[in-house]
Amino acid sequence: MKLRIGILGATGLTGAELVRLLLRHPQVEISWLSSESQAGTAYDTVYPAFAFRLPEAASKLISMEEAQKTQPDAVFSCLPHAASAEAIEPFLCNGKTKVIDLSADYRLSDAANYATTYAHEHPHPERLAEAVYGLTEIYRDEIAKAKLVANPGCYPTSVILPLIPLLKAGVIQRSGIIADSKSGISGAGRKATEATHFVFRNENFAAYKVGDQHRHLPEIREQLEIAAGGKVKPLFTPHYVPMERGILSTIYVELASGKTVADVEACWNKAYADSAFVHAVKEFPQTADVTRTNACHFKAYQPAGTSRVIIVSAIDNMVKGASGQALQNMNLMFGLEETSGLL
């Protein structure tokens, strides 16, 4: 019997990406798709590419209230932070549904840190302890037993996947970490603003939330500190790039005493030896190398005569940075092949 799946907030870009992935998954069936603003609308009116592809029950968008009366095997929430925590609560209470939350609501373990980062109190702080951070390659065993998984942010995924093994093994120092990341405009969501409108972004490359201002930084810091076993104070600057999708992160680190770039590569090869999607590669990755895949590729370079290493990391922000990683987590939660439905 196939798993019954629901998607909250299915009309956003991550929701549509999930629909695309789930339709080719051999062991799931989409039971419903929800939208508060477009309930009652045929999904293929919003996304004509899905015409004739959805099961009849999921072909028309339903309201959240209607969705919350159901008990599917799994729910993906693609709603904004705060709204997501409220919306998934009935599913967490029913004792039958597992939840993969693509918002930021359960990515941070501390309610006070969440309140500072997102400028409001957490709607359900009592659930923070039970949520598992969904960085699949790092928390695989915990995810397999979880009822609630917090899917990581797109920028953090590109930054922390190459860094966590290095900090755990003591190959790099905890100080002096700088991440310089560039993202396609889809990372800002479906609704156009002055920051993301074609007129303002085309032929324009811009930094924003420079250094220590972006709300993904506390998420990055928390995960790096867990790996390092102590305080880490990274700097992180994101950029808008006039392209549809993809993230390229250039990360600067200081090697631990006596370590070289060869130790970095050996550490990665050991940590990700069994990974289907995360790989150290021979040439510096480009976003085109991973587009529409669940892959994360990275490579390191040590400038001659220095103890610094420069790491270049690439993901598709819509797949490994969002919907693909969410599906990878769902596969683990139900004991399915981790790669099922994914490239």
Side-chain angles (χ1 to χ4, degrees), residues 9-27:
T11 56
L13 296 182
T14 54
E17 191 71 22
L18 261 173
V19 171
R20 180 181 73 85
L21 295 171
L22 289 168
L23 282 174
R24 69 182 185 208
H25 195 298
Q27 293 160 289

Side-chain angles (χ1 to χ4, degrees), residues 85-100:
E86 294 286 20
I88 65 177
E89 188 62 18
F91 298 104
L92 293 171
C93 290
N94 72 29
K96 297 180 180 180
T97 302
K98 296 183 180 182
V99 176
I100 302 95

